[in-house]
Amino acid sequence: MPQKVKKAIFPVAGLGTRFLPATKAIPKEILTLVDQPLIQYSMDEARESGIEEFIFVTSRGKGSLEDYFDRSPTLENHLKKQGKLDLLKLTERATLDSGSIAYVRQHDPLGLGDAVYCAKNLIKDEPFAVILTDDVIVSKKPVMKQMIEAYNTIGGEMVALMNIPTEEISNYGVIEPGEQKGSTVAIKSMIEKPSVAESPSSLAVIGRYILTPKIMTNIAQLSKGTHGEIQLTDAINHEAMMGSNVNGFIFEGHRHDCGSKIGYLKATVSLALTRPDIKNEFKEFLNSIV
Ligand code: UTP
């Protein structure tokens, strides 16, 4: 059985330009779906998947993310005194133990590959998960848990996959598929943001990965790729092209692309409609305006 996946990297150093001007002052990861920041969804998924160590790759202006996971004694005492135990529980869920969390800085937004590489010294020689907060995935079993279970059987490098319509394929990393067994697809090669003509399939990489330290070595040797960035896809593709064990996992769940305005709005509406405290009134409101 492969080594246990205990660590997760959360790359949160991007500039979030699609949400300007808000992201001039607020990290994209702190934007809320109803009342919960995007980062909390990723954190819940990681914890429920058995992740024990959380590594955030941050950048200038992301200080509120560190505050978010910190204790807040004044607020906690206030809620205790008022007997608001439900709210207290919610704030405690947003707190991480000091020893389980680490922050590293990416000085320049040189791309996802570079962001992951910034955590190299904290990863050492263990396999690790990468979770992109932009992708909020609603599923019965957390997607990272689904992947870790598959990884425990087959090992290697693993990326989450979903079918994407042709007109959107050029926004994604796309795989050239080999043999498929159940939800697992062998990957022959990968290409970042291909044109429709170049695209080897409709299977695109979504923001969940399980990687081995070999990928760190590959990133160190990469030069800038698509959009002048160090691409994580290129580092994984190197392994696939060498014939290493690289697989895609077609997950069960509904993915919301919260990195785009329209995806974020759709996620807000969908999640609000599942919330017992507001759904009826919200539905009535939607019916009245549409
Ligand atoms: P995106 O491609 O969505 O970039 O990054 P972005 O900067 O967040 O947003 P836009 O495109 O300008 O609106 C995907 C993920 O990779 C992280 C981002 O924080 C996001 O979670 N990332 C990207 C980094 O950590 N560093 C980078 O240099 C680039």
mmCIF file of all heavy atoms in Angstrom, residues 11-19 28-29 57 62 106 108-112 115 132-134 229 259, ligand 1:
data_model
loop_
_atom_site.group_PDB
_atom_site.id
_atom_site.type_symbol
_atom_site.label_atom_id
_atom_site.label_comp_id
_atom_site.label_asym_id
_atom_site.label_seq_id
_atom_site.Cartn_x
_atom_site.Cartn_y
_atom_site.Cartn_z
ATOM 1 N N PRO A 11 -3.002 26.117 -2.651
ATOM 2 C CA PRO A 11 -2.381 27.280 -3.286
ATOM 3 C C PRO A 11 -3.398 28.426 -3.333
ATOM 4 O O PRO A 11 -4.415 28.322 -4.000
ATOM 5 C CB PRO A 11 -2.048 26.796 -4.711
ATOM 6 C CG PRO A 11 -2.319 25.312 -4.698
ATOM 7 C CD PRO A 11 -3.337 25.080 -3.634
ATOM 8 N N VAL A 12 -3.127 29.478 -2.584
ATOM 9 C CA VAL A 12 -4.076 30.601 -2.502
ATOM 10 C C VAL A 12 -3.352 31.926 -2.772
ATOM 11 O O VAL A 12 -3.717 32.957 -2.229
ATOM 12 C CB VAL A 12 -4.799 30.635 -1.122
ATOM 13 C CG1 VAL A 12 -5.757 29.473 -0.994
ATOM 14 C CG2 VAL A 12 -3.804 30.602 0.045
ATOM 15 N N ALA A 13 -2.329 31.857 -3.624
ATOM 16 C CA ALA A 13 -1.497 33.038 -3.847
ATOM 17 C C ALA A 13 -1.862 33.794 -5.121
ATOM 18 O O ALA A 13 -1.258 34.821 -5.424
ATOM 19 C CB ALA A 13 -0.028 32.621 -3.897
ATOM 20 N N GLY A 14 -2.862 33.297 -5.867
ATOM 21 C CA GLY A 14 -3.221 33.939 -7.140
ATOM 22 C C GLY A 14 -3.786 35.335 -6.926
ATOM 23 O O GLY A 14 -4.219 35.686 -5.827
ATOM 24 N N LEU A 15 -3.814 36.124 -7.990
ATOM 25 C CA LEU A 15 -4.264 37.521 -7.883
ATOM 26 C C LEU A 15 -5.784 37.645 -7.946
ATOM 27 O O LEU A 15 -6.345 38.661 -7.565
ATOM 28 C CB LEU A 15 -3.635 38.355 -9.001
ATOM 29 C CG LEU A 15 -2.093 38.472 -8.939
ATOM 30 C CD1 LEU A 15 -1.569 39.191 -10.180
ATOM 31 C CD2 LEU A 15 -1.657 39.200 -7.672
ATOM 32 N N GLY A 16 -6.455 36.614 -8.448
ATOM 33 C CA GLY A 16 -7.919 36.634 -8.499
ATOM 34 C C GLY A 16 -8.456 37.777 -9.353
ATOM 35 O O GLY A 16 -9.441 38.434 -8.984
ATOM 36 N N THR A 17 -7.853 37.991 -10.522
ATOM 37 C CA THR A 17 -8.212 39.173 -11.330
ATOM 38 C C THR A 17 -9.654 39.129 -11.847
ATOM 39 O O THR A 17 -10.235 40.172 -12.136
ATOM 40 C CB THR A 17 -7.260 39.338 -12.530
ATOM 41 O OG1 THR A 17 -7.253 38.100 -13.266
ATOM 42 C CG2 THR A 17 -5.846 39.664 -12.087
ATOM 43 N N ARG A 18 -10.232 37.925 -11.936
ATOM 44 C CA ARG A 18 -11.617 37.866 -12.439
ATOM 45 C C ARG A 18 -12.618 38.427 -11.438
ATOM 46 O O ARG A 18 -13.774 38.632 -11.771
ATOM 47 C CB ARG A 18 -11.969 36.419 -12.813
ATOM 48 C CG ARG A 18 -11.356 35.996 -14.140
ATOM 49 C CD ARG A 18 -11.521 34.535 -14.391
ATOM 50 N NE ARG A 18 -10.644 33.736 -13.547
ATOM 51 C CZ ARG A 18 -10.681 32.408 -13.458
ATOM 52 N NH1 ARG A 18 -11.580 31.744 -14.152
ATOM 53 N NH2 ARG A 18 -9.843 31.767 -12.675
ATOM 54 N N PHE A 19 -12.157 38.670 -10.212
ATOM 55 C CA PHE A 19 -13.060 39.252 -9.212
ATOM 56 C C PHE A 19 -12.640 40.664 -8.814
ATOM 57 O O PHE A 19 -13.032 41.152 -7.748
ATOM 58 C CB PHE A 19 -13.156 38.350 -7.976
ATOM 59 C CG PHE A 19 -14.028 37.156 -8.210
ATOM 60 C CD1 PHE A 19 -13.494 35.979 -8.687
ATOM 61 C CD2 PHE A 19 -15.392 37.219 -7.981
ATOM 62 C CE1 PHE A 19 -14.298 34.872 -8.922
ATOM 63 C CE2 PHE A 19 -16.208 36.128 -8.211
ATOM 64 C CZ PHE A 19 -15.652 34.947 -8.683
ATOM 65 N N LYS A 28 -9.759 36.192 -2.788
ATOM 66 C CA LYS A 28 -10.876 35.463 -3.416
ATOM 67 C C LYS A 28 -11.374 34.333 -2.500
ATOM 68 O O LYS A 28 -12.567 34.055 -2.415
ATOM 69 C CB LYS A 28 -10.372 34.898 -4.742
ATOM 70 C CG LYS A 28 -11.332 34.048 -5.508
ATOM 71 C CD LYS A 28 -10.800 33.686 -6.893
ATOM 72 C CE LYS A 28 -9.562 32.842 -6.888
ATOM 73 N NZ LYS A 28 -9.163 32.395 -8.234
ATOM 74 N N GLU A 29 -10.439 33.709 -1.789
ATOM 75 C CA GLU A 29 -10.761 32.534 -0.955
ATOM 76 C C GLU A 29 -11.623 32.884 0.247
ATOM 77 O O GLU A 29 -12.193 32.019 0.892
ATOM 78 C CB GLU A 29 -9.464 31.871 -0.474
ATOM 79 C CG GLU A 29 -8.536 31.407 -1.581
ATOM 80 C CD GLU A 29 -7.757 32.518 -2.289
ATOM 81 O OE1 GLU A 29 -7.654 33.636 -1.732
ATOM 82 O OE2 GLU A 29 -7.269 32.275 -3.400
ATOM 83 N N VAL A 57 -0.201 28.192 0.583
ATOM 84 C CA VAL A 57 0.768 28.997 -0.157
ATOM 85 C C VAL A 57 0.102 30.342 -0.410
ATOM 86 O O VAL A 57 -0.845 30.432 -1.198
ATOM 87 C CB VAL A 57 1.169 28.324 -1.486
ATOM 88 C CG1 VAL A 57 2.216 29.173 -2.200
ATOM 89 C CG2 VAL A 57 1.690 26.922 -1.233
ATOM 90 N N LYS A 62 -2.938 38.550 1.745
ATOM 91 C CA LYS A 62 -3.794 37.415 2.092
ATOM 92 C C LYS A 62 -3.845 37.191 3.610
ATOM 93 O O LYS A 62 -4.170 36.096 4.082
ATOM 94 C CB LYS A 62 -3.282 36.144 1.400
ATOM 95 C CG LYS A 62 -3.203 36.235 -0.112
ATOM 96 C CD LYS A 62 -4.490 35.825 -0.793
ATOM 97 C CE LYS A 62 -4.361 35.965 -2.297
ATOM 98 N NZ LYS A 62 -5.416 35.306 -3.040
ATOM 99 N N GLN A 106 4.428 32.728 -1.703
ATOM 100 C CA GLN A 106 4.889 32.759 -3.095
ATOM 101 C C GLN A 106 5.100 34.239 -3.416
ATOM 102 O O GLN A 106 4.155 35.021 -3.356
ATOM 103 C CB GLN A 106 3.827 32.147 -4.014
ATOM 104 C CG GLN A 106 4.281 32.052 -5.463
ATOM 105 C CD GLN A 106 3.153 31.675 -6.413
ATOM 106 O OE1 GLN A 106 1.978 31.960 -6.164
ATOM 107 N NE2 GLN A 106 3.507 31.065 -7.525
ATOM 108 N N ASP A 108 6.039 35.870 -6.226
ATOM 109 C CA ASP A 108 5.484 36.358 -7.493
ATOM 110 C C ASP A 108 4.484 35.330 -8.015
ATOM 111 O O ASP A 108 4.728 34.130 -7.872
ATOM 112 C CB ASP A 108 6.591 36.523 -8.543
ATOM 113 C CG ASP A 108 7.543 37.630 -8.156
ATOM 114 O OD1 ASP A 108 7.080 38.766 -7.986
ATOM 115 O OD2 ASP A 108 8.748 37.336 -7.988
ATOM 116 N N PRO A 109 3.381 35.776 -8.624
ATOM 117 C CA PRO A 109 2.389 34.814 -9.122
ATOM 118 C C PRO A 109 2.873 34.141 -10.412
ATOM 119 O O PRO A 109 2.422 34.470 -11.508
ATOM 120 C CB PRO A 109 1.147 35.680 -9.366
ATOM 121 C CG PRO A 109 1.673 37.068 -9.585
ATOM 122 C CD PRO A 109 2.991 37.177 -8.883
ATOM 123 N N LEU A 110 3.793 33.197 -10.259
ATOM 124 C CA LEU A 110 4.424 32.571 -11.424
ATOM 125 C C LEU A 110 3.677 31.324 -11.902
ATOM 126 O O LEU A 110 4.171 30.600 -12.749
ATOM 127 C CB LEU A 110 5.881 32.207 -11.099
ATOM 128 C CG LEU A 110 6.807 33.395 -10.818
ATOM 129 C CD1 LEU A 110 8.196 32.916 -10.428
ATOM 130 C CD2 LEU A 110 6.887 34.309 -12.036
ATOM 131 N N GLY A 111 2.511 31.062 -11.318
ATOM 132 C CA GLY A 111 1.715 29.932 -11.780
ATOM 133 C C GLY A 111 1.540 28.869 -10.708
ATOM 134 O O GLY A 111 2.218 28.862 -9.678
ATOM 135 N N LEU A 112 0.597 27.955 -10.997
ATOM 136 C CA LEU A 112 0.236 26.922 -10.010
ATOM 137 C C LEU A 112 1.417 25.996 -9.697
ATOM 138 O O LEU A 112 1.623 25.612 -8.544
ATOM 139 C CB LEU A 112 -0.963 26.125 -10.556
ATOM 140 C CG LEU A 112 -1.494 25.011 -9.680
ATOM 141 C CD1 LEU A 112 -1.923 25.526 -8.319
ATOM 142 C CD2 LEU A 112 -2.656 24.306 -10.366
ATOM 143 N N ALA A 115 3.618 27.732 -7.316
ATOM 144 C CA ALA A 115 2.985 27.823 -5.984
ATOM 145 C C ALA A 115 3.163 26.509 -5.224
ATOM 146 O O ALA A 115 3.535 26.499 -4.047
ATOM 147 C CB ALA A 115 1.503 28.158 -6.129
ATOM 148 N N LEU A 132 -7.569 22.991 -4.850
ATOM 149 C CA LEU A 132 -7.814 24.356 -5.320
ATOM 150 C C LEU A 132 -9.182 24.809 -4.813
ATOM 151 O O LEU A 132 -10.216 24.197 -5.125
ATOM 152 C CB LEU A 132 -7.760 24.436 -6.853
ATOM 153 C CG LEU A 132 -6.447 24.001 -7.514
ATOM 154 C CD1 LEU A 132 -6.442 24.406 -8.991
ATOM 155 C CD2 LEU A 132 -5.231 24.558 -6.814
ATOM 156 N N THR A 133 -9.134 25.879 -4.044
ATOM 157 C CA THR A 133 -10.329 26.403 -3.384
ATOM 158 C C THR A 133 -11.404 26.847 -4.379
ATOM 159 O O THR A 133 -12.596 26.815 -4.062
ATOM 160 C CB THR A 133 -9.868 27.589 -2.512
ATOM 161 O OG1 THR A 133 -8.934 27.067 -1.585
ATOM 162 C CG2 THR A 133 -10.988 28.245 -1.774
ATOM 163 N N ASP A 134 -10.984 27.233 -5.579
ATOM 164 C CA ASP A 134 -11.947 27.683 -6.598
ATOM 165 C C ASP A 134 -12.993 26.616 -6.915
ATOM 166 O O ASP A 134 -14.115 26.932 -7.274
ATOM 167 C CB ASP A 134 -11.236 27.962 -7.925
ATOM 168 C CG ASP A 134 -10.415 29.217 -7.893
ATOM 169 O OD1 ASP A 134 -10.395 29.883 -6.853
ATOM 170 O OD2 ASP A 134 -9.805 29.530 -8.932
ATOM 171 N N GLU A 229 3.519 30.953 -17.403
ATOM 172 C CA GLU A 229 3.498 30.487 -16.008
ATOM 173 C C GLU A 229 4.145 29.110 -15.899
ATOM 174 O O GLU A 229 4.206 28.360 -16.876
ATOM 175 C CB GLU A 229 2.040 30.387 -15.525
ATOM 176 C CG GLU A 229 1.346 31.733 -15.451
ATOM 177 C CD GLU A 229 -0.049 31.637 -14.829
ATOM 178 O OE1 GLU A 229 -0.660 30.553 -14.888
ATOM 179 O OE2 GLU A 229 -0.505 32.659 -14.280
ATOM 180 N N GLY A 259 -14.114 30.152 -9.402
ATOM 181 C CA GLY A 259 -13.081 31.086 -9.857
ATOM 182 C C GLY A 259 -13.621 32.029 -10.920
ATOM 183 O O GLY A 259 -12.970 33.000 -11.281
HETATM 184 P P1 UTP B 1 -6.267 30.813 -11.227
HETATM 185 O O1 UTP B 1 -5.819 30.363 -12.548
HETATM 186 O O2 UTP B 1 -7.728 30.786 -10.950
HETATM 187 O O3 UTP B 1 -5.683 32.275 -10.980
HETATM 188 O O4 UTP B 1 -5.488 29.963 -10.147
HETATM 189 P P2 UTP B 1 -6.129 33.355 -9.928
HETATM 190 O O5 UTP B 1 -5.048 34.356 -9.803
HETATM 191 O O6 UTP B 1 -6.559 32.715 -8.645
HETATM 192 O O7 UTP B 1 -7.430 34.030 -10.546
HETATM 193 P P3 UTP B 1 -7.660 34.882 -11.892
HETATM 194 O O8 UTP B 1 -7.545 33.917 -13.032
HETATM 195 O O9 UTP B 1 -6.633 35.992 -11.945
HETATM 196 O O10 UTP B 1 -9.030 35.415 -11.709
HETATM 197 C C1 UTP B 1 -5.916 28.672 -9.734
HETATM 198 C C2 UTP B 1 -5.444 28.451 -8.303
HETATM 199 O O11 UTP B 1 -4.018 28.523 -8.227
HETATM 200 C C3 UTP B 1 -3.606 29.510 -7.293
HETATM 201 C C4 UTP B 1 -4.786 30.453 -7.152
HETATM 202 O O12 UTP B 1 -4.757 31.100 -5.890
HETATM 203 C C5 UTP B 1 -5.967 29.516 -7.340
HETATM 204 O O13 UTP B 1 -6.283 28.829 -6.144
HETATM 205 N N1 UTP B 1 -2.397 30.195 -7.825
HETATM 206 C C6 UTP B 1 -2.357 30.553 -9.131
HETATM 207 C C7 UTP B 1 -1.334 30.448 -6.986
HETATM 208 O O14 UTP B 1 -1.370 30.109 -5.788
HETATM 209 N N2 UTP B 1 -0.238 31.067 -7.505
HETATM 210 C C8 UTP B 1 -0.151 31.434 -8.810
HETATM 211 O O15 UTP B 1 0.894 31.980 -9.225
HETATM 212 C C9 UTP B 1 -1.252 31.177 -9.637
#
